[in-house]
Amino acid sequence: MARTTQGPRDAATRRGGNPDEGRYQRGQRRTAGEPLTASWRPDPDKQDTPPPRRKKSGVLGTYGWRIYAVPVLVVLTVLALMNMNDPAPDSAAQPGASTGATSTSGGEEPEPNIMGEAPSGKLNADIPSAELPGIKNYKDKGSGSWEVVRGTTNLFGRGGKLYKYTVEIEQGIDASTYGGADAFARTIDGTLQDQRSWVGGGNIRLQRVDNGTADIRISLTTSDTARRPDYCNFSIQYEASCWNNGKKRLVINLARWRYGAVAFESDLLLYRQYAINHEIGHAFGQRHKPCGENGALAPVMMQQSFGTANNYVWQLNQVDGGDKNAVPKDGKECRPNPWPVT
């Protein structure tokens, strides 16, 4: 019978020891088939030590990245200050008709909050053409609140900015004195839809509404309310209408609506068309204009309620609060005209 050769594992077993003890003894030779093992007690003298970091010298070493931040912050601060000192661009004026709106750039006076035919101060002079035709000491009084006349229109006008308007009547006015709310509204709508009115210039669109927000509130108003400082703010003896930009209210003076103006003689409809177009012209950014040529049609933005002669209008405008530079005293006199597009 052949004798079996015993390996180291059997020998260890015969000696009564653990057959696995020898393989992990330091200095013992690894047997075949055993896994590689890392040293479990590394030699501290052989550990890798990272090289010391080189310290930067000078200012860069002291302040590091902060040295770059300082000039960047200085540049940003200078740019911000320059931007603050730049003047803001002029605001664009509201679009007008073919003549265009008046801009407030170039040293011109800014548009006042209330634009009306009459100055705010008292007038001692007598201007016959500014009187109500055939009426003396006219007085009326309303409640100071308005009621919207029901009714709307389709949008009209070929292009440009859209303005929505309401038609309103001051409460307390006797309807028989002006023909009633519907008649007043029809005159407003018909005038503004006419191609000789502002829409004819091609850069204004309009639409009548009877609820919601309106850009212009066309309001038939008693003389007493119109004269108040918070509406038209005038105290001269002559009646006038106005555009109050702060309240978005176009005040049509009831006295003028009923009796017209001397310059228009007995043509009450022609005067009413003028009053509408003149005051809404202010809402579109237009300013007062003088008669440009003797015998020609007056510009609709001339203060025709007081006459169509420059000398008369100039005299009235010299009162405190008047539009003193609008009309020269040059003797020119025009013919009455209710339309901006002629």
Side-chain angles (χ1 to χ4, degrees), residues 138 140 173 177-178 220-222 252-258:
Y138 177 88
D140 58 21
I173 298 177
T177 62
Y178 64 93
L220 187 62
T221 305
T222 59
I252 298 292
N253 190 310
L254 175 62
R256 287 293 183 185
W257 190 261
R258 291 178 64 184

Side-chain angles (χ1 to χ4, degrees), residues 59-74:
V59 177
L60 186 60
T62 303
Y63 297 102
W65 61 269
R66 299 175 187 82
I67 197 66
Y68 300 106
V70 173
V72 172
L73 291 174
V74 170

Side-chain angles (χ1 to χ4, degrees), residues 61-342:
T62 303
Y63 297 102
W65 61 269
R66 299 175 187 82
I67 197 66
Y68 300 106
V70 173
V72 172
L73 291 174
V74 170
V75 172
L76 291 176
T77 302
V78 171
L79 291 175
L81 291 173
M82 291 174 63
N83 189 54
M84 290 173 62
N85 291 328
D86 283 343
D90 291 331
S91 299
Q94 298 184 55
S98 56
T99 56
T102 301
S103 170
T104 59
S105 62
E108 296 181 9
E109 294 181 1
E111 182 178 346
N113 193 49
I114 298 174
M115 288 293 294
E117 293 183 293
S120 58
K122 293 185 179 297
L123 177 68
N124 295 322
D126 182 24
I127 302 177
S129 63
E131 297 278 0
L132 286 175
I135 302 296
K136 296 289 185 181
N137 301 318
Y138 177 88
K139 291 186 181 301
D140 58 21
K141 189 176 181 63
S143 66
S145 58
W146 290 261
E147 183 175 351
V148 175
V149 180
R150 295 301 171 193
T152 62
T153 68
N154 294 327
L155 185 151
F156 53 94
R158 299 193 302 272
K161 182 175 179 179
L162 171 62
Y163 293 85
K164 294 183 178 181
Y165 69 92
T166 57
V167 176
E168 305 182 19
I169 308 291
E170 185 179 4
Q171 294 175 343
I173 298 177
D174 183 355
S176 66
T177 62
Y178 64 93
D182 290 338
F184 177 69
R186 282 195 301 271
T187 304
I188 299 294
D189 295 340
T191 299
L192 295 177
Q193 290 173 358
D194 195 299
Q195 288 303 300
R196 294 170 293 177
S197 188
W198 295 100
V199 295
N203 53 1
I204 292 290
R205 294 179 299 155
L206 291 166
Q207 183 178 24
R208 180 181 163 195
V209 297
D210 58 12
N211 57 52
T213 302
D215 303 297
I216 303 169
R217 314 190 77 86
I218 303 175
S219 309
L220 187 62
T221 305
T222 59
S223 172
D224 184 71
T225 301
R227 290 173 176 274
R228 283 170 39 177
D230 52 337
Y231 286 102
C232 293
N233 188 30
F234 68 93
S235 57
I236 63 171
Q237 63 268 40
Y238 306 120
E239 299 297 337
S241 302
C242 75
W243 161 247
N244 188 310
N245 188 58
K247 296 180 181 294
K248 304 302 178 187
R249 192 170 293 281
L250 192 162
V251 174
I252 298 292
N253 190 310
L254 175 62
R256 287 293 183 185
W257 190 261
R258 291 178 64 184
Y259 299 109
V262 170
F264 289 82
E265 299 178 345
S266 59
D267 197 333
L268 192 56
L269 175 60
L270 203 68
Y271 174 78
R272 290 174 175 177
Q273 291 168 331
Y274 155 76
I276 295 164
N277 281 319
H278 179 94
E279 301 307 338
I280 205 169
H282 288 313
F284 299 150
Q286 297 291 324
R287 305 293 290 265
H288 289 144
K289 292 181 172 61
C291 171
E293 182 181 349
N294 264 326
L297 290 175
V300 74
M301 296 312 296
M302 187 177 186
Q303 295 150 278
Q304 298 177 60
S305 292
F306 306 129
T308 55
N310 281 349
N311 286 6
Y312 277 149
V313 178
W314 173 88
Q315 185 178 8
L316 185 140
N317 283 344
Q318 301 315 299
V319 175
D320 289 344
D323 200 352
K324 296 183 179 182
N325 298 319
V327 178
K329 186 180 180 181
D330 59 6
K332 293 178 182 178
E333 185 170 0
C334 283
R335 293 179 288 129
N337 168 47
W339 304 110
V341 179
T342 56

